[in-house]
Amino acid sequence: MDNNSLKAQGNLIMPPLKDARFRRWRTMPKDIHETIVAGVFLLPAICFFAVFVVYPIIVSIFTSFFNYSINRFEFLGFGNYINLFKDEVFLKSMKNTIVLVIGVVPFIILFSIFVALTIYQKSSLVCSFFRGVFYLPVVTGTVSVIVVWKWIFDPLSGILNWFLETLGMINQPIMWLGDKHYALWSILLVLFTTSIGQPIVLYIAALSNLDKSHIEAAEIDGATNWQVFKYIKWPCIMPTTLYVVVITIINSFQCFSLIQLLTSGGPNYHTSTVMYLVYETAFKLTQFGYANAMGVILAVVIGFFSILQFKFFSNKVEY
Amino acid sequence: MKNSKKKTSIGNILRMTLLYILTIGFIFPFYWVITGGFKQQEVTVQLPPQWFPIHPTIENYRKLFYNPALTWFFNSVLIALGTMILVCVVSTMAGYVLAKKKFYGRELIFAILVAAMALPKQVILVPLVRLISSWGFHNTLSAVILPAVGWPFGVFLMKQFNETLPTEILEAAKIDGSSELKTFILIVVPMVKPGIAALAIFTFIGAWNDYFMQLIMLNSKLKLTLPLGVATMQQEFATNYGVLMAGATFAAVPILIVFIAFQKYFTQGITMGAVKG
Amino acid sequence: MKKVFSLLMVTLLLLVTVVSGNIQVGAADDLAQLKAEITWWNFPNFMAVDGVIGKYEQSIITAFNQKYPNIKVNLENIDFASGPEKINTAIQGKTVCDVLFDAPGRIIAYGKSGVLADLSDMFTGEFIKDVNNNNIINACKVGNKYYMYPISSAPFLMGFNKNMLEKHGLLNMLNLKGDRTWTTSQYKALLEALKAKKERGAIIFCSSQGGDQGTRAFIANLYDSSITDEKITKYTINDQGGVRGLEFVVNAIKSGLLLNGSASDGTAAIDEFCAQRVSHTILFSSGLFATKKDQIKFEPIMVPFPSADGIPELEYLIDGFCVFDNGDANKIKASKLLIDFICNDSIWGPKNVKATNTFPVRSSFGNLYKGDETMTYLAGLTKYYSPYYNTIDGFAKMRTAWFPALQAAFTGDKTPKQALDDFVKVANDSIKQ
């Protein structure tokens, strides 16, 4: 999208508040008629939401208290939850998930601010091009991206080992995805490339909405690029940064297909995430109750970040 | 214009160089996948790599299309379109009233929807499969479409967009005696069209790439989607990179075309979600 | 027990040559009119025709439809990496297939969870007598109900690239005489020789799940451990021999004699062998050779696992079918007809067994591979068969613990002893559950 239309949209966001009728409407109390109308319009959304989100959550929480598999359904109380905290594999997966999240977020912030700063003032065509490039891995989907990474990391016929061997940096092939010292970092690298698109788009939008006169004034006063960034741009894009942090955290917590297609959680669960483990427990081991208990815990953790997100949304940040 | 001279500093050159290196890093995989699909299997694993297929072959595509890859393609299109239409209709209606009507429970409903947006799908994995199968929908395209409509992101997005509507026009319509439905269809919908377009393209690409739901809901070969079918091939062909890259190309190109054609709306969709709450 | 069994197998495979035509016919008339649509999920067991998986199976269905024109069979090929999870998901979604071609390991677990149709009526006195092998018959049942209908069986071995060994003048380091048995020190010498010639050793794969039996058998053999006790009541691979075996592998990986396969699944490891990028594979069989034939552009040679005493204990596969109970009696009936046709038809029965390149369970099929040197050699290996533990309670749970145990040892998270002790603990717990 070119910057002009974004600005046009920005204007739309703040409608003129002069009109008297508008004020009257604002002060009008909620009434029954409005509620009925709203109910009718909301009905389809609420139905879908209730059936496909709320109901499954309730069932999930309920069955997490049972020893539940294909042919079993016995009440356990908190048994599943107690076992979870004694389960080495679960704790390991939780640790990996947190490492992934903490590892990937700073890189994404730094990288996307760098790209956005470098290109946001270019012509809309150039801007679109770069935005598209960094969005490629998101659009084409993990499944297509994985094929190349599989080959890059392939210990015997992959380019990475060949490259390092040619440079004489290694003399034994490295099992990038099979060695516990590298596997999680390899995953992190792929996760990074597939998560970068959205933040860049957001930062470009945020930077384009900056008031140029401040920056120009500062530059005339002899401010260095770094000072301009630190004192003008950075504070202005702070809300975007907050938002990017939250969505990246939530997305990284849900990292699944990378793991499933690249390592199946190996070696020895060094790349297993809670997301992946839930799937494996449910459909490899068919321990549904246990899997649901894991899911509930994960939901609680992510729920914590959702609250952050909601707080952030309700603060009505504007550019 | 004043600072254009300053732009040619060394720092700037360095920055641009770094950017180009990164760009190559991001484009290379796609170059590799597309050319790799035309290489013979021996060539794909040759080291040093053959940077361009010297003896191109369509053998990989022949193998790919022994699988019902076209059916996968149409399944993907149907799922993406179906999800898109349902999400747009449901979300536009809900987003409108959430933004423009003052009614009891509005804040509560909105709060619940926003909170649910971050819910990991794995949490509801097993009950969802059971629910869908109790209706006999498992392994049908509806099994992927319907749960996706329950996801509240679209509602949230449309609420954001509806807030940008000038309330005077809605008020005027009300005074003129226009019914609620008429107001919605004749006034609201045309005004939020850009929002719907953004949501539509966003949902389309999202549904196309929703590998996880497809994985747990579909199983028979003729019901698979393109990404899922290609993922299955990855397991089947293990290290036969030629076929895998042909598959990856075939899975990526259609959605890439959609993205390039509608990039404008797509970008809008992303920024709208964040710009204002 | 081993002797008796081996005698039986030898008899079964080599002596009986008369094909008896007494194939179960049933009430042919009304069954021929049976109308149903069934789905058949198929792991890659049959030879690929023209490099295309599923083409052979389609020809079976065409022939089947000549006999039963009103039964529509939908064939789906699944793979060992994603197939098992797909089946579990489908069971939950109530969209699982009707007929599955697999092995007892999974089928018996499905039988125990009550999702399969009882096939006891197919185990006629004639069939049991013809199979004449209690190990195979017992591998097919849970309690007194039969859930798997067996068709064929074959041992798992190692595969070497004969041409590669010849090229380096190393072929004489294999024992090519008799049963080709050899010792672990001979194996180690060969590994070192291969490394000196810059050839890579086998990938000790341990990702995803398929082919785990091969790695277990390989490690157990190296220093004469056994995976379970003779009566299959507990796992014993953490004994001294097992630990030494795993230590051997870990050290071999460290010194570059073997490859760490923590990120490779069985299929990938075999594919690397087929593509000549590694010198050998620790999991190979006549059946695998058949399904990979079009990829292999060299002569593979099969040898048993090396062991300290030179007497291998081999695992073997049993191929067979099961029927999922999808609540439709007609479909179950049609599925049984299909299985009966595939296994027992006077023309297609033997032909299908040959297409899997394994040995028929029916002794009446006789020697299908007369003059085939490899198959004659394999047929003589039945005396080395170890106890068949794939139907043990908790087998599925045990399997999921095995690869992580190997990975833990390879990454150094645990010592080989710790890894095997922890594995055996989980595995033994799984029997009780």
Side-chain angles (χ1 to χ4, degrees):
Chain A
M1 184 178 63
D2 56 299
N3 300 335
N4 290 335
S5 66
L6 225 169
K7 265 175 260 155
Q9 190 198 321
N11 292 336
L12 263 182
I13 289 171
M14 284 164 274
L17 297 175
K18 293 168 221 147
D19 196 283
R21 265 194 309 219
F22 179 76
R23 286 219 193 89
R24 202 183 64 217
W25 182 84
R26 283 295 291 251
T27 54
M28 229 166 57
K30 298 167 180 173
D31 68 38
I32 300 294
H33 173 251
E34 292 280 89
T35 306
I36 293 171
V37 172
V40 173
F41 273 81
L42 274 173
L43 194 65
I46 290 186
C47 282
F48 274 103
F49 182 68
V51 172
F52 295 108
V53 181
V54 178
Y55 166 78
I57 292 179
I58 293 170
V59 174
S60 213
I61 295 174
F62 178 71
T63 52
S64 70
F65 296 106
F66 289 80
N67 178 4
Y68 169 30
S69 68
I70 291 181
N71 55 350
R72 238 185 242 190
F73 199 77
E74 297 149 7
F75 185 69
L76 280 183
F78 284 94
N80 282 330
Y81 290 93
I82 294 166
N83 287 340
L84 269 182
F85 285 99
K86 289 189 284 189
D87 185 342
E88 220 181 290
V89 172
F90 174 75
L91 295 177
K92 211 169 188 175
S93 304
M94 194 49 123
K95 198 191 99 201
N96 293 334
T97 312
I98 290 168
V99 168
L100 272 185
V101 170
I102 293 176
V104 87
V105 169
F107 283 108
I108 287 182
I109 302 287
L110 278 177
F111 185 86
S112 48
I113 289 182
F114 164 75
V115 173
L117 275 176
T118 314
I119 64 176
Y120 83 101
Q121 282 173 320
K122 306 257 181 268
S123 73
S124 67
L125 192 72
V126 175
C127 210
S128 275
F129 169 76
F130 284 111
R131 218 164 23 196
V133 165
F134 293 110
Y135 224 100
L136 269 178
V138 187
V139 173
T140 52
T142 322
V143 173
S144 294
V145 174
I146 289 294
V147 174
V148 192
W149 285 107
K150 251 180 128 173
W151 170 74
I152 291 174
F153 289 137
D154 189 312
L156 302 187
S157 43
I159 191 174
L160 190 53
N161 275 340
W162 171 78
F163 191 68
L164 294 176
E165 271 170 40
T166 313
L167 290 181
M169 290 167 75
I170 56 170
N171 45 21
Q172 273 286 323
I174 295 177
M175 307 273 160
W176 293 103
L177 297 170
D179 188 319
K180 68 168 173 178
H181 302 294
Y182 302 107
L184 196 59
W185 302 110
S186 307
I187 294 278
L188 196 121
L189 178 64
V190 185
L191 178 66
F192 168 77
T193 65
T194 57
S195 312
I196 196 76
Q198 194 170 348
I200 290 180
V201 171
L202 289 170
Y203 276 121
I204 292 177
L207 287 168
S208 324
N209 283 350
L210 288 185
D211 192 341
K212 279 209 187 78
S213 57
H214 288 312
I215 298 170
E216 279 170 16
E219 276 169 351
I220 290 166
D221 289 347
T224 61
N225 274 344
W226 171 246
Q227 283 169 326
V228 170
F229 175 75
K230 193 178 168 195
Y231 294 111
I232 301 177
K233 291 178 181 169
W234 174 251
C236 289
I237 55 173
M238 199 57 206
T240 308
T241 305
L242 256 173
Y243 178 72
V244 168
V245 169
V246 173
I247 54 165
T248 312
I249 288 176
I250 291 173
N251 287 342
S252 310
F253 262 115
Q254 310 204 23
C255 174
F256 168 81
S257 48
L258 286 183
I259 312 281
Q260 196 227 1
L261 293 168
L262 278 177
T263 62
S264 304
N268 191 24
Y269 297 102
H270 278 290
T271 60
S272 171
T273 58
V274 179
M275 271 293 175
Y276 178 75
L277 197 63
V278 172
Y279 172 78
E280 190 182 275
T281 313
F283 289 125
K284 226 180 211 170
L285 300 176
T286 63
Q287 297 174 337
F288 306 126
Y290 199 50
N292 286 343
M294 278 180 206
V296 170
I297 294 204
L298 185 61
V300 170
V301 175
I302 295 187
F304 171 74
F305 290 100
S306 305
I307 293 168
L308 280 186
Q309 185 192 29
F310 183 63
K311 279 222 136 123
F312 168 66
F313 278 135
S314 51
N315 278 344
K316 304 235 173 201
V317 181
E318 290 182 24
Y319 291 83
Chain B
M1 288 304 118
K2 258 178 249 162
N3 51 14
S4 61
K5 261 182 226 152
K6 215 171 147 188
K7 284 273 154 80
T8 46
S9 65
I10 295 173
N12 226 311
I13 294 170
L14 277 179
R15 263 164 62 181
M16 286 312 285
T17 318
L18 185 55
L19 182 71
Y20 283 122
I21 292 172
L22 289 168
T23 307
I24 291 168
F26 270 72
I27 291 181
F28 171 74
F30 294 91
Y31 168 79
W32 198 252
V33 161
I34 291 167
T35 52
F38 293 102
K39 287 177 189 163
Q40 287 148 335
Q41 163 60 11
E42 298 85 55
V43 174
T44 57
V45 290
Q46 182 179 307
L47 290 173
Q50 195 181 82
W51 301 102
F52 188 80
I54 297 169
H55 302 289
T57 169
I58 56 158
E59 181 60 14
N60 297 319
Y61 282 91
R62 203 184 63 83
K63 281 208 176 113
L64 171 69
F65 283 99
Y66 182 75
N67 285 295
L70 271 181
T71 313
W72 295 345
F73 170 75
F74 286 118
N75 288 342
S76 278
V77 170
L78 284 177
I79 284 178
L81 274 182
T83 311
M84 182 184 97
I85 292 168
L86 275 174
V87 166
C88 285
V89 171
V90 167
S91 309
T92 310
M93 286 167 68
Y96 162 58
V97 291
L98 279 174
K100 288 295 169 198
K101 298 280 173 197
K102 299 264 162 194
F103 59 91
Y104 296 105
R106 185 176 97 137
E107 286 75 16
L108 181 70
I109 290 176
F110 187 62
I112 293 175
L113 289 179
V114 171
M117 249 163 48
L119 186 83
K121 285 184 194 167
Q122 271 82 343
V123 177
I124 57 173
L125 168 72
V126 180
L128 204 55
V129 172
R130 300 219 88 156
L131 178 75
I132 291 287
S133 70
S134 71
W135 296 346
F137 280 179
H138 194 258
N139 197 25
T140 66
L141 303 187
S142 320
V144 182
I145 296 174
L146 296 178
V149 182
W151 229 245
F153 175 76
V155 177
F156 173 75
L157 198 69
M158 287 317 289
K159 184 207 170 237
Q160 304 299 90
F161 206 88
N162 269 286
E163 297 208 322
T164 67
L165 294 186
T167 310
E168 310 89 314
I169 300 179
L170 301 179
E171 277 295 292
K174 202 172 185 181
I175 289 163
D176 292 345
S178 165
S179 74
E180 293 288 348
L181 192 66
K182 226 169 147 188
T183 312
F184 176 69
I185 293 174
L186 295 180
I187 300 173
V188 176
V189 171
M191 280 197 299
V192 295
K193 250 187 198 154
I196 297 178
L199 177 62
I201 184 65
F202 205 82
T203 314
F204 188 93
I205 294 181
W208 184 284
N209 284 332
D210 192 353
Y211 171 74
F212 183 71
M213 282 306 273
Q214 297 163 8
L215 174 71
I216 62 170
M217 289 301 180
L218 307 173
N219 53 45
S220 68
K221 203 144 213 174
L222 288 174
K223 288 284 161 52
L224 301 187
T225 60
L226 207 39
L228 186 57
V230 170
T232 312
M233 279 178 50
Q234 289 183 13
Q235 316 268 15
E236 195 178 308
F237 286 94
T239 56
N240 191 340
Y241 289 108
V243 183
L244 297 186
M245 293 203 251
T249 308
F250 190 63
V253 165
I255 197 70
L256 202 59
I257 291 170
V258 171
F259 172 70
I260 292 170
F262 297 100
Q263 198 201 9
K264 181 179 154 191
Y265 298 109
F266 190 74
T267 326
Q268 224 164 0
I270 296 171
T271 40
M272 249 191 327
V275 163
K276 183 178 170 275
Chain C
M1 164 120 173
K2 228 195 255 178
K3 281 237 171 77
V4 177
F5 178 58
S6 60
L7 256 175
L8 289 177
M9 284 298 275
V10 173
T11 325
L12 182 160
L13 296 165
L14 296 176
L15 300 181
V16 184
T17 48
V18 185
V19 178
S20 52
N22 55 347
I23 304 302
Q24 174 191 338
V25 182
D29 282 340
D30 55 313
L31 283 178
Q33 295 310 314
L34 185 71
K35 222 176 154 162
E37 183 173 349
I38 56 174
T39 309
W40 167 17
W41 284 4
N42 194 37
F43 282 105
N45 282 315
F46 290 112
M47 240 179 269
V49 178
D50 307 332
V52 174
I53 295 165
K55 204 164 173 180
Y56 178 80
E57 290 85 336
Q58 215 60 56
S59 69
I60 302 179
I61 294 170
T62 312
F64 174 70
N65 279 340
Q66 277 165 6
K67 206 168 168 187
Y68 301 101
N70 298 324
I71 299 178
K72 187 165 182 264
V73 182
N74 302 316
L75 172 75
E76 298 230 352
N77 291 293
I78 55 182
D79 60 89
F80 289 110
S82 65
E85 280 147 58
K86 179 167 156 173
I87 295 169
N88 280 330
T89 319
I91 291 174
Q92 279 312 294
K94 301 194 177 92
T95 50
V96 76
C97 58
D98 299 293
V99 176
L100 175 69
F101 188 15
D102 199 358
R106 275 180 289 268
I107 289 180
I108 292 306
Y110 300 142
K112 282 172 182 161
S113 48
V115 293
L116 294 184
D118 184 2
L119 302 182
S120 297
D121 56 331
M122 295 182 75
F123 283 73
T124 57
E126 179 274 327
F127 179 69
I128 293 176
K129 211 173 124 212
D130 195 15
V131 172
N132 197 14
N133 179 327
N134 280 332
N135 277 1
I136 292 180
I137 294 293
N138 287 335
C140 299
K141 64 180 179 183
V142 178
N144 53 3
K145 281 186 180 163
Y146 289 95
Y147 287 114
M148 184 179 107
Y149 195 74
I151 175 168
S152 62
S153 133
F156 284 116
L157 286 92
M158 297 173 81
F160 276 86
N161 184 331
K162 195 173 173 186
N163 305 44
M164 187 189 281
L165 293 181
E166 254 163 1
K167 191 175 91 190
H168 298 305
L170 301 174
L171 192 56
N172 59 355
M173 296 188 79
L174 284 180
N175 172 17
L176 297 177
K177 294 189 203 81
D179 292 336
R180 304 180 188 167
T181 57
W182 55 332
T183 63
T184 305
S185 48
Q186 285 170 321
Y187 177 56
K188 196 173 180 206
L190 177 57
L191 286 180
E192 277 158 359
L194 280 167
K195 195 192 173 194
K197 299 284 182 192
K198 296 213 177 328
E199 295 289 357
R200 298 187 180 108
I203 299 173
I204 312 300
F205 56 90
C206 47
S207 175
S208 129
Q209 199 187 73
D212 54 334
Q213 73 280 7
T215 53
R216 268 194 303 276
F218 174 68
I219 289 168
N221 266 292
L222 288 168
Y223 290 97
D224 305 329
S225 173
S226 60
I227 297 155
T228 62
D229 60 353
E230 195 69 23
K231 293 204 181 92
I232 317 182
T233 53
K234 63 177 197 290
Y235 292 91
T236 54
I237 195 166
N238 63 334
D239 64 8
Q240 214 192 346
V243 173
R244 277 187 76 191
L246 186 53
E247 276 166 0
F248 175 94
V249 173
V250 169
N251 290 333
I253 286 174
K254 268 191 202 134
S255 50
L257 300 176
L258 293 171
L259 293 172
N260 177 352
S262 293
S264 310
D265 58 29
T267 314
I270 294 166
D271 281 356
E272 293 288 332
F273 171 66
C274 296
Q276 310 204 48
R277 282 194 291 272
V278 296
S279 58
H280 65 293
T281 164
I282 55 164
L283 180 67
F284 209 56
S285 71
S286 54
L288 280 167
F289 178 45
T291 54
K292 300 278 178 193
K293 212 162 203 164
D294 58 316
Q295 295 174 32
I296 300 182
K297 298 188 176 86
F298 58 92
E299 193 186 337
I301 180 164
M302 278 180 254
V303 295
F305 296 114
S307 55
D309 60 4
I311 302 167
E313 293 217 11
L314 298 182
E315 286 214 19
Y316 54 102
L317 115 146
I318 306 174
D319 283 328
F321 294 86
C322 69
V323 176
F324 282 94
D325 183 358
N326 285 329
D328 183 337
N330 246 5
K331 285 192 174 191
I332 295 178
K333 220 184 273 175
S335 304
K336 285 181 181 175
L337 287 176
L338 175 66
I339 297 175
D340 184 56
F341 178 82
I342 295 172
C343 303
N344 298 332
D345 184 84
S346 55
I347 300 160
W348 283 88
K351 194 172 163 182
N352 291 337
V353 174
K354 266 188 103 164
T356 63
N357 209 25
T358 54
F359 302 106
V361 296
R362 271 184 178 275
S363 52
S364 58
F365 284 1
N367 183 357
L368 299 173
Y369 305 100
K370 256 182 244 151
D372 183 327
E373 203 185 314
T374 310
M375 294 306 279
T376 311
Y377 160 67
L378 293 178
L381 295 178
T382 50
K383 55 178 169 289
Y384 300 115
Y385 280 12
S386 57
Y388 194 82
Y389 63 94
N390 291 10
T391 55
I392 195 167
D393 279 332
F395 181 73
K397 177 96 203 277
M398 178 279 290
R399 295 184 78 182
T400 58
W402 175 249
F403 278 163
L406 289 191
Q407 291 170 351
F410 295 171
T411 55
D413 283 355
K414 294 177 184 170
T415 65
K417 179 156 174 48
Q418 271 172 337
L420 288 178
D421 283 346
D422 291 353
F423 163 74
V424 164
K425 192 170 166 294
V426 174
N428 282 339
D429 283 349
S430 76
I431 301 178
K432 286 171 217 143
Q433 271 174 12

